[in-house]
Amino acid sequence: MTERFIGLMSGTSRDGVDAVLTEIRETGPVRVVDHCQLGYPDDLAQELATAATTETLRYRHLGALDARLGMLFARTVQALLDQTGLAPTAIRAIGSHGQTVHHAPDADPPFTWQIGDPFRIAEATGIDTVAQFRPRDIAAGGEGAPLACGFHATQFGSTDETRAVLNLGGIANITWLQPGQPVIGFDCGPANTLMDDWNRRHHQTPFDHDGAWARSGTPDPELLTRLLQDSFFQRPPPKSTGPEYFSPAWLRAGAGDRLDRARPEDIQATLAELTVEGVRHALEHLHMQPPARLLVCGGGAHNRHLMKRLAKALPATLVETTERHGVPPQQVEGAAFAWLAARTLAGEPGNLPEVTGARGPRVLGCIIPGGPRAPGGH
Ligand SMILES: Nc1ncnc2c1ncn2[C@@H]1O[C@H](COP(=O)(O)OP(=O)(O)O)[C@@H](O)[C@H]1O
Ligand SMILES: [Mg+2]
């Protein structure tokens, strides 16, 4: 039986919400049918940035942010339904990742926190909503991330060649898919958040379109080496990170007054190179043969400069986007959360313990019934 699920994703780039309509069967790849993206209104983006970087926040502020995000998520689903002409009853469930305000798998005790009130999504759409995927994995001793690896394996795995899937969101994460071997997946370093922030400091644009600004600069090898000395790059998986770690403050701590002395475009070029080197390090660190193909997704797949630099750094690997494999780059992570929602409703685990380090496979998230009655209730 094929059922429709909607995945809702809003990642660490805080660029907006992606809603992805999928058709899912019990086994086999997901069919990605349609997509709708709503950007965050400026004030909301600013408040989220503050929430993610500030040490203290009032409860009422956080509560209001949670509610406003939930309403925006619901509106994104509605926009997708309007676009497709589908009724809410045509959708089995929504899988909502939420917006991470803090990811701290190394804290004592470890925690991860996503907001975007899922009750409002269920209430506004009438569709069963699955949310809060990460905390169960953390409770089971895992990193709570990355969670898209199971989906990457189902969707992009091959029986005859080794592939890696690279998601270039705010942070970069990689999924290693070798035929007949357990999946390996982890966050491998920063990606768009540092470049976006540096770009915003010098331009009136949200990001460095196509990486044109980075391309106009020259990477600083000494600074690059210094940044790559961060112990995160050397640490073996499981590991995950977030923009609260690879933050503008992290960059300043590593770069010192070079940030003020260097040409800004050279810093941008160095940050692009840092993303590429993080990926190369990750592959080398695991003593892996280069994969036959690297399938790139996330917004960074649209950064032509980054894609070229990746191809240059991995000469034995065919670097291409997931578009070639049936899923546009910006829709992969949303589709993953649609798939995760389907797993939860089927009572199947969504995490891969070999990836997250959890004590075992776990059914993730909580299910909020869309209608006034429980699904199947009387
Ligand atoms: N044409 C483009 N050129 C360069 N960068 C791009 C382009 N399109 C998107 N991006 C980058 O992708 C980011 C969004 O990626 P996304 O996968 O949505 O990340 P996240 O999951 O963290 O929200 C943007 O902030 C921007 O940095
Ligand atoms: Mg995004």
Side-chain angles (χ1 to χ4, degrees):
M1 188 176 51
T2 302
E3 288 182 309
R4 294 189 194 88
F5 288 79
I6 290 176
L8 275 177
M9 184 66 203
S10 48
T12 48
S13 299
R14 296 192 293 269
D15 57 325
V17 194
D18 292 292
V20 178
L21 176 65
T22 61
E23 289 174 2
I24 301 184
R25 287 169 290 145
E26 281 94 74
T27 56
V30 167
R31 199 165 92 81
V32 176
V33 183
D34 211 335
H35 170 233
C36 175
Q37 188 179 40
L38 290 192
Y40 282 146
D42 284 348
D43 57 330
L44 195 53
Q46 188 49 50
E47 286 186 44
L48 278 170
T50 309
T53 50
T54 191
E55 284 295 318
T56 55
L57 202 64
R58 291 183 187 282
Y59 293 134
R60 56 179 296 171
H61 195 141
L62 189 57
L65 209 48
D66 182 40
R68 285 170 67 196
L69 274 173
M71 291 189 283
L72 180 65
F73 290 166
R75 279 205 301 281
T76 315
V77 170
Q78 195 53 56
L80 180 62
L81 292 177
D82 292 347
Q83 187 174 306
T84 55
L86 288 171
T89 48
I91 309 298
R92 175 63 194 88
I94 295 165
S96 178
H97 172 267
Q99 180 71 54
T100 298
V101 282
H102 209 88
H103 181 65
D106 300 325
D108 182 19
F111 70 94
T112 186
W113 199 355
Q114 286 76 39
I115 62 170
D117 187 357
F119 295 94
R120 284 173 197 270
I121 306 175
E123 181 64 29
T125 62
I127 301 170
D128 295 348
T129 300
V130 189
Q132 296 292 342
F133 290 91
R134 297 194 190 277
R136 180 62 189 275
D137 186 82
I138 293 255
E143 292 276 319
L147 290 185
C149 298
F151 172 70
H152 291 166
T154 305
Q155 197 73 13
F156 301 118
S158 155
T159 49
D160 51 33
E161 68 177 11
T162 299
R163 296 178 171 178
V165 180
L166 174 66
N167 175 37
L168 293 176
I171 295 293
N173 63 276
I174 198 156
T175 308
W176 179 264
L177 302 169
Q178 190 167 356
Q181 296 295 318
V183 175
I184 301 173
F186 54 96
D187 286 353
C188 54
N192 291 311
T193 45
L194 286 179
M195 291 189 284
D196 287 354
D197 182 76
W198 190 249
N199 178 74
R200 273 196 302 264
R201 272 165 208 257
H202 294 89
H203 302 280
Q204 299 295 317
T205 52
F207 58 83
D208 177 13
H209 203 265
D210 290 346
W213 191 41
R215 190 167 52 233
S216 74
T218 310
D220 174 343
E222 219 173 287
L223 174 58
L224 185 59
T225 307
R226 217 194 289 178
L227 295 175
L228 283 168
Q229 273 162 3
D230 188 283
S231 61
F232 181 84
F233 295 106
Q234 323 302 332
R235 246 173 65 193
K239 57 179 177 177
S240 61
T241 187
E244 52 278 296
Y245 185 77
F246 287 113
S247 62
W250 174 86
L251 177 61
R252 180 150 291 276
D257 63 359
R258 253 187 159 81
L259 277 192
D260 311 310
R261 284 190 283 115
R263 294 193 312 159
E265 58 269 41
D266 293 349
I267 297 292
Q268 187 74 351
T270 309
L271 292 175
E273 226 48 33
L274 178 67
T275 306
V276 171
E277 285 301 306
V279 175
R280 198 157 67 101
H281 251 66
L283 296 176
E284 279 179 2
H285 196 69
L286 293 168
H287 305 293
M288 290 162 171
Q289 294 294 316
R293 279 172 208 268
L294 183 71
L295 280 58
V296 187
C297 61
H302 299 299
N303 183 325
R304 282 199 286 167
H305 173 66
L306 211 48
M307 290 296 283
K308 275 195 193 143
R309 297 302 305 164
L310 272 171
K312 189 111 201 257
L314 304 168
T317 299
L318 181 62
V319 177
E320 56 193 11
T321 77
T322 52
E323 185 94 53
R324 292 277 313 269
H325 300 265
V327 190
Q330 194 68 44
Q331 301 176 31
V332 173
E333 296 302 285
F337 280 86
W339 180 82
L340 282 164
R343 300 282 298 176
T344 301
L345 287 187
E348 300 283 349
N351 63 338
L352 295 176
E354 63 271 34
V355 167
T356 64
R359 284 186 285 276
R362 294 290 185 272
V363 180
L364 303 178
C366 52
I367 305 170
I368 299 159
R373 294 164 196 278
H378 302 287

